[in-house]
Amino acid sequence: DTETEAPDTGSSEGKTFRLGVIYPLTGDLSKFGQEEIKGVEIAADLVNAAGGINGIPIELVKADAPTPDAATAEVERLINVEKVNAIMGSYSSGIAYAGSAVAEKYKVVWWENSGVADNITQRGFKYLFRFGITGSNLGESQARIINELVAEKLGVDPKELKIALIYEDSAYGTSVADGMQAEAERLGLNIVLREGYSNKTTDLSSLILKMKQAGANVMAPTFYVADGLLLFRQMK
């Protein structure tokens, strides 16, 4: 590997702290990217109203990354053209994984708020930070909820439940499913079906049939909104 010299991204003597914010503002995930960036805007306004960062106001430099490829190009632009001091994002694990690799190359801090895939922070990067839980954490919680709450509500022994573990098969869904399966095995829960699918699918009827054939009576799903709505509609 070769190191890339970090570009001049300003200093504490500059007029503003230029913060790159990268989210999917168009495309399939735009609804959620737009919601998260509103949160960033609110936070920046609050910090600026309190005097900024060591007296320096935050200036948001926005980037749209509907796909990982777009994230790679936009991070290059944020660093080399916009001269941002740091980058924050990104809602999607795929966007986070691709974009943070570019930031690492230029030794620019990437602060991840919501991409949960385990592999994002398994690369030994020095300039990557993540606030929040991992996909494995989510899966572990899913197993515990079934074991401690669902079984009680159904009035059955948790080990009698037949669980269908289904997930969209990107790094996000797979991380959650791996965490769920590991914790389920530790708790002695019975997973009768583990099945991944593309979140781009337009038909989940075959997956629903597999759950019925497996005799599942509890579903442990991981999905985005569009495929989740499709699943529930077709199950009904």
Side-chain angles (χ1 to χ4, degrees):
D1 292 342
T2 59
E3 289 189 352
T4 301
E5 189 67 27
D8 180 10
T9 55
S11 69
S12 60
E13 298 177 356
K15 292 183 179 180
T16 62
F17 183 93
R18 290 174 64 79
L19 176 62
V21 286
I22 185 165
Y23 287 97
L25 304 177
T26 58
D28 294 343
L29 303 177
S30 60
K31 171 70 173 176
F32 316 104
Q34 290 166 10
E35 288 183 353
E36 287 209 13
I37 209 167
K38 287 178 184 176
V40 175
E41 291 169 344
I42 292 169
D45 287 344
L46 291 171
V47 171
N48 285 340
I53 301 173
N54 295 328
I56 301 172
I58 296 171
E59 178 186 358
L60 300 182
V61 184
K62 300 176 185 178
D64 177 21
T67 66
D69 286 343
T72 298
E74 282 297 274
V75 174
E76 289 275 0
R77 179 182 69 83
L78 287 172
I79 294 172
N80 293 310
V81 178
E82 299 292 349
K83 307 297 183 183
V84 298
N85 300 88
I87 297 174
M88 177 183 290
S90 61
Y91 179 73
S92 163
S93 292
I95 292 169
Y97 190 86
S100 60
V102 180
E104 185 75 11
K105 180 177 70 171
Y106 289 108
K107 302 179 182 178
V108 172
V109 167
W110 179 288
W111 187 274
E112 182 58 38
N113 290 323
S114 46
V116 303
D118 289 11
N119 63 359
I120 295 171
T121 50
Q122 290 176 337
R123 295 171 289 177
F125 285 0
K126 295 180 180 179
Y127 295 87
L128 168 64
F129 301 87
R130 171 159 56 189
F131 172 79
I133 58 178
T134 66
S136 290
N137 295 151
L138 288 171
E140 291 162 3
S141 296
Q142 198 174 44
R144 292 194 206 98
I145 288 169
I146 291 173
N147 185 63
E148 298 168 13
L149 299 179
V150 175
E152 180 183 352
K153 290 291 184 181
L154 295 176
V156 299
D157 184 324
K159 295 178 175 58
E160 294 177 3
L161 296 174
K162 297 180 178 180
I163 303 168
L165 175 55
I166 63 171
Y167 56 98
E168 65 83 29
D169 60 7
S170 73
Y172 156 58
T174 303
S175 291
V176 179
D178 287 346
M180 160 62 187
Q181 182 167 355
E183 184 67 4
E185 291 174 355
R186 188 186 73 81
L187 295 170
L189 299 178
N190 182 22
I191 296 176
V192 296
L193 176 70
R194 172 172 171 155
E195 189 82 12
Y197 65 90
S198 169
N199 61 51
K200 303 293 185 184
T201 188
T202 57
D203 185 5
L204 288 167
S205 57
S206 62
L207 176 60
I208 295 166
L209 181 60
K210 287 181 180 179
M211 286 194 285
K212 291 187 69 174
Q213 291 174 337
N217 51 23
V218 173
M219 181 175 67
T222 302
F223 43 59
Y224 288 106
V225 174
D227 50 309
L229 291 174
L230 172 66
L231 176 66
F232 290 137
R233 281 199 302 267
Q234 291 191 313
M235 284 177 66
K236 185 176 180 180

